[in-house]
């Protein structure tokens, strides 16, 4: 299981909202099947842009998503940050 809290996930994803899977996870805690590839692509892009620390943090969120699995929106999610 990931060591990240829900609050950590929201903090890390705040600047990466995309109007899709990342935004849904950020806003509601929902994890849909497209979250894994989208987070993987974001991590890769950040690494290619020389933002290794940010890429690693997104990689941690990816681990959180893999551990949690697909889920519907989480009640009270926005109150976590």
């Amino acid at each position: 299981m990931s060591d990240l809290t829900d609050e950590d996930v929201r903090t890390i994803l705040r600047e990466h909202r995309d109007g899709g899977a990342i935004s849904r996870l950020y806003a509601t805690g929902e994890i849909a099947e497209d979250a894994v590839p989208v987070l993987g692509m974001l991590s890769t892009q950040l690494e290619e842009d020389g933002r290794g620390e940010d890429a690693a943090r997104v990689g941690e969120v990816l681990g959180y998503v893999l551990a949690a699995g697909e889920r519907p929106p989480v009640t009270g999610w926005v109150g976590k940050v």
Side-chain angles (χ1 to χ4, degrees):
M1 189 69 171
S2 171
D3 290 336
L4 292 183
T5 66
D6 297 343
E7 182 179 343
D8 294 333
V9 170
R10 284 185 47 89
T11 299
I12 292 165
L13 295 181
R14 182 174 293 121
E15 73 173 277
H16 304 294
R17 290 173 284 177
D18 63 348
I22 293 172
S23 290
R24 286 192 310 274
L25 176 55
Y26 173 82
T28 70
E30 176 186 356
I31 300 174
E33 65 183 46
D34 59 344
V36 170
V38 168
L39 287 166
M41 288 186 295
L42 174 59
S43 181
T44 298
Q45 185 61 56
L46 290 168
E47 189 68 46
E48 289 173 357
D49 291 346
R51 296 176 60 187
E53 187 174 320
D54 291 332
R57 294 296 287 166
V58 170
E60 292 177 33
V61 173
L62 181 54
Y64 170 98
V65 165
L66 289 168
E70 289 184 41
R71 67 181 184 203
V74 175
T75 302
W77 181 260
V78 294
K80 294 182 181 289
V81 172

